[in-house]
Amino acid sequence: VRFEGDAEVEELLDSMIDPLWQVLLRERAGELRFARYEDGEHLCVKDEKSYTAYLLLSGALAIEIDGAVVAEESREGTFVGEI
């Protein structure tokens, strides 16, 4: 996971479609952690306790159970994660 610098975060926010998310994220940018995940990286894995919520800002992700894709998400502003 690579945390993005200020210029990359600004570029990402500028590319977002929803102006409300742009404003909300800019107002809290100093409190938030922005990360870029590469293809194949995991947010969490089965049976791992993860108490982090993620907000999908760009790209797409797949939800897999035992290697089978059960859902895919690509909508900007979607909360994802596992508890």
Side-chain angles (χ1 to χ4, degrees):
V1 177
R2 281 174 289 288
F3 293 96
E4 303 188 18
D6 292 339
E8 287 179 291
V9 170
E10 277 301 313
E11 184 178 324
L12 171 65
L13 295 178
D14 287 342
S15 73
M16 294 181 68
I17 296 168
D18 189 330
L20 179 58
W21 276 120
Q22 287 181 356
V23 169
L24 292 173
L25 293 170
R26 277 194 173 93
E27 286 179 356
R28 299 285 189 179
E31 302 169 37
L32 302 173
R33 296 189 324 183
F34 292 85
R36 177 189 308 264
Y37 288 80
E38 298 297 328
D39 289 346
E41 287 188 272
H42 297 91
L43 294 179
C44 56
V45 295
K46 184 178 178 182
D47 297 328
E48 173 186 66
K49 290 188 181 359
S50 173
Y51 299 99
T52 302
Y54 297 87
L55 180 63
L56 183 63
L57 301 181
S58 70
L61 60 88
I63 294 99
E64 297 180 5
I65 296 178
D66 297 327
V69 175
V70 296
E72 294 183 20
E73 189 57 69
S74 62
R75 195 176 76 229
E76 177 181 286
T78 299
F79 285 98
V80 293
E82 176 185 73
I83 295 179

